Amino acid sequence: MKPILNHHKPKRIRPDQVRVGRFFSLQQGRVGQFLSPRVLLVRKPFQHQVVERCYFGFDSLYQAWKFTEKIAHNGCYFRLDRSRVMPQRYEIEIFNPGEIARLLAFWDRHEAHSTPSDTSINVSIVA
Amino acid sequence: MRFILNQYPAAIAQAAQAVNEIDHRINDTKHHLAKMDGNAEMVVAFDVTLKNDNQRKARRFEVLQANLEYEKATKTLNRLTTDRANAMAMLEQLRNEFHVGKLEAQTAMADKLVGTDLHEMVGLSA
């Protein structure tokens, strides 16, 4: 994936640019990694104290807003805004997300991989 | 096992301390479970494909079931609840034994005093 070349703020990433698992530069010492199509983890690895931020993407403002209720309940610091980085329309930025990012990404990937045949009940009748 | 009367306060304090320790561990476990519940709620809220409450409940159950720590914590909580009940029973037993011991000592003292009085009445005391 090509690095984003804006020095001041990163460009919004297009959906076709999302490569889950790959590291890429976000400039200013920041390294990004999509853990799932809707979860982006951003680190500043070359600082004394590793700074982590996480971006969650939402296409609907209502869904993003409902999600903020849960993360507020968990005591996380966050920011909800129109997307600056994520390919979805809205993004929630969480500061020092800890294990939350990995947990949500795991279930997001799980959902993405589950095909309709996984979720439906297959019934076979033996004559 | 019965103690001497003056050993009971220390034994009761120790039993009460054991109950407090178990309470502390129960609170820790409940806190841990609540955190995992919160995480499951967050996973459900993050999944935009879920359409209704039944689907959300099913996903929440799936998330919790996939978490081995959750099952372990649930078992720990059950065990600690039983331990607490046993520790409380032990504490109550010690308190009751202490109470009975005090009554027995009072009775013995009263018997002794009554005996002394009777002895005086019949002129047996020196």
Side-chain angles (χ1 to χ4, degrees):
Chain A
M1 183 179 175
K2 286 181 181 177
I4 295 161
L5 296 172
N6 190 329
H7 289 283
H8 299 291
K9 64 175 185 179
K11 275 183 194 170
R12 193 175 157 186
I13 296 163
R14 294 195 311 271
D16 61 303
Q17 288 179 309
V18 173
R19 300 280 183 274
V20 174
R22 286 194 189 172
F23 292 99
F24 59 95
S25 170
L26 282 163
Q27 304 297 317
Q28 297 169 338
R30 292 181 303 175
V31 174
Q33 183 190 25
F34 275 97
L35 302 183
S36 83
R38 291 174 56 212
V39 180
L40 170 65
L41 192 66
V42 176
R43 290 195 197 95
K44 283 187 174 179
F46 306 112
Q47 294 200 350
H48 287 295
Q49 199 177 0
V50 176
V51 179
E52 265 196 357
R53 284 181 187 192
C54 185
Y55 295 87
F56 299 116
F58 289 86
D59 283 319
S60 147
L61 181 59
Y62 176 75
Q63 283 165 341
W65 177 72
K66 289 297 285 181
F67 182 68
T68 59
E69 284 180 358
K70 301 293 175 193
I71 52 175
H73 189 72
N74 260 33
C76 297
Y77 288 100
F78 65 90
R79 181 184 63 80
L80 167 61
D81 211 338
R82 280 189 180 279
S83 276
R84 294 177 187 175
V85 185
M86 296 296 281
Q88 290 81 15
R89 288 179 68 194
Y90 300 94
E91 69 185 21
I92 292 173
E93 183 182 5
I94 293 188
F95 308 98
N96 296 321
E99 286 300 306
I100 295 169
R102 284 164 192 86
L103 178 76
L104 294 178
F106 169 81
W107 285 99
D108 193 33
R109 290 196 307 267
H110 177 81
E111 181 60 29
H113 285 160
S114 63
T115 55
S117 61
D118 292 335
T119 50
S120 63
I121 299 166
N122 294 322
V123 180
S124 60
I125 300 168
V126 180
Chain B
M1 174 189 163
R2 290 200 67 166
F3 295 101
I4 304 165
L5 207 55
N6 64 9
Q7 289 175 330
Y8 273 101
I12 288 168
Q14 208 175 347
Q17 209 174 350
V19 173
N20 290 341
E21 288 287 334
I22 293 170
D23 276 342
H24 181 74
R25 287 166 62 191
I26 284 175
N27 284 338
D28 276 353
T29 311
K30 279 183 178 171
H31 182 74
H32 190 46
L33 280 169
K35 195 179 166 190
M36 285 187 276
D37 269 329
N39 283 347
E41 290 286 340
M42 221 170 355
V43 170
V44 171
F46 189 63
D47 192 342
V48 293
T49 61
L50 303 173
K51 301 293 177 204
N52 54 46
D53 274 352
N54 284 339
Q55 286 183 355
R56 287 187 197 99
K57 276 182 193 170
R59 173 49 57 90
R60 187 177 174 279
F61 181 72
E62 193 186 357
V63 172
L64 291 177
Q65 211 181 19
N67 190 350
L68 294 176
E69 259 186 68
Y70 190 82
E71 195 189 342
K72 198 177 155 190
T74 311
K75 279 181 184 169
T76 306
L77 186 63
N78 284 338
R79 188 175 45 76
L80 286 173
T81 308
T82 311
D83 287 353
R84 189 187 186 280
N86 290 337
M88 278 303 292
M90 183 69 189
L91 179 62
E92 281 304 304
Q93 188 186 344
L94 285 171
R95 279 176 179 160
N96 290 337
E97 279 179 10
F98 185 46
H99 190 60
V100 168
K102 280 194 291 186
L103 288 176
E104 282 175 355
Q106 282 170 4
T107 309
M109 200 182 294
D111 283 348
K112 199 175 175 185
L113 287 172
V114 170
T116 312
D117 288 348
L118 281 173
H119 285 188
E120 280 173 2
M121 280 171 70
V122 295
L124 288 173
S125 59

